[in-house]
Amino acid sequence: MVTKGIIHRVNDLDGIIATLNKEKVGLITYKILGKELEITSVNSLKENKGIGSAMLDAIITLARKQKIKRVWLLTTNDNIDALKFYQKRNFTLKNIYPEAVKLSRELKPSIPLIGNYGIPIRDEIELEIIL
Ligand SMILES: CC(C)(COP(=O)(O)OP(=O)(O)OC[C@H]1O[C@@H](n2cnc3c(N)ncnc32)[C@H](O)[C@@H]1OP(=O)(O)O)[C@@H](O)C(=O)NCCC(=O)NCCS
């Protein structure tokens, strides 16, 4: 995975797996650096059942326990659903990095040009929660 020109090897990241009746239904990965926690990926395999919300809650609980001051993440400009999802769960917009995906695409050429809803994938958007 690539964000802001930084390669994250997902296998090396910490994460929480969500299970439902012993079936794996979601994964959230993260990285802690000092007093900040970056959520590096969120994937729900069964959408609209509360799995994404439960994984976010788990991360916030973990962050509070570890006295983290800021939880943040990056998403892309086309990911309207994720922007809705996070903002409804107390994340606020922190920064926009125009054209940042160009650099990410140089490192990971498989990032498509067109994303959700036919929107060109160009910019990275940072959201945060201050704890
Ligand atoms: C974004 C994502 C993680 C959300 O996961 P999810 O499991 O669908 O999340 P939830 O089920 O908790 O919430 C989604 C909606 O389902 C609704 N919902 C939750 N539980 C529900 C239930 N039991 N019955 C019906 N609806 C429910 C919620 O109200 C919510 O809607 P809202 O955001 O308008 O409030 C998921 O869509 C995903 O994996 N997307 C692809 C990867 C991605 O874009 N990741 C984020 C990039 S940074």
Side-chain angles (χ1 to χ4, degrees):
M1 244 181 47
V2 181
T3 54
K4 269 200 310 192
I6 296 167
I7 299 175
H8 303 277
R9 307 232 169 251
V10 178
N11 287 354
D12 297 338
L13 297 170
D14 288 316
I16 297 174
I17 292 172
T19 58
L20 193 64
N21 302 325
K22 294 188 182 165
E23 186 190 350
K24 291 176 182 143
V25 290
L27 171 67
I28 187 163
T29 64
Y30 63 93
K31 217 177 198 176
I32 293 176
L33 207 61
K35 292 284 168 207
E36 301 200 346
L37 183 152
E38 178 185 1
I39 296 175
T40 39
S41 71
V42 186
N43 286 93
S44 168
L45 301 181
K46 291 191 184 204
E47 293 182 320
N48 304 320
K49 292 186 185 305
I51 293 161
S53 304
M55 292 194 295
L56 268 192
D57 286 350
I59 285 292
I60 299 296
T61 301
L62 179 147
R64 286 191 199 283
K65 274 192 189 145
Q66 302 209 16
K67 310 258 185 286
I68 297 291
K69 300 277 180 236
R70 185 171 98 99
V71 174
W72 66 282
L73 60 93
L74 290 164
T75 191
T76 45
N77 63 293
D78 64 307
N79 205 340
I80 308 295
D81 293 341
L83 287 169
K84 178 186 79 138
F85 176 76
Y86 293 125
Q87 289 184 86
K88 286 184 76 172
R89 285 154 187 83
N90 300 324
F91 280 77
T92 55
L93 297 176
K94 171 69 175 171
N95 259 317
I96 298 179
Y97 302 100
E99 303 290 347
V101 181
K102 222 180 247 174
L103 176 58
S104 298
R105 207 176 269 120
E106 280 172 21
L107 299 168
K108 185 182 170 190
S110 60
I111 297 175
L113 291 169
I114 305 294
N116 298 335
Y117 304 106
I119 300 171
I121 308 176
R122 294 193 182 105
D123 318 309
E124 291 182 350
I125 299 173
E126 183 177 333
L127 294 102
E128 69 173 10
I129 292 186
I130 303 295
L131 298 179

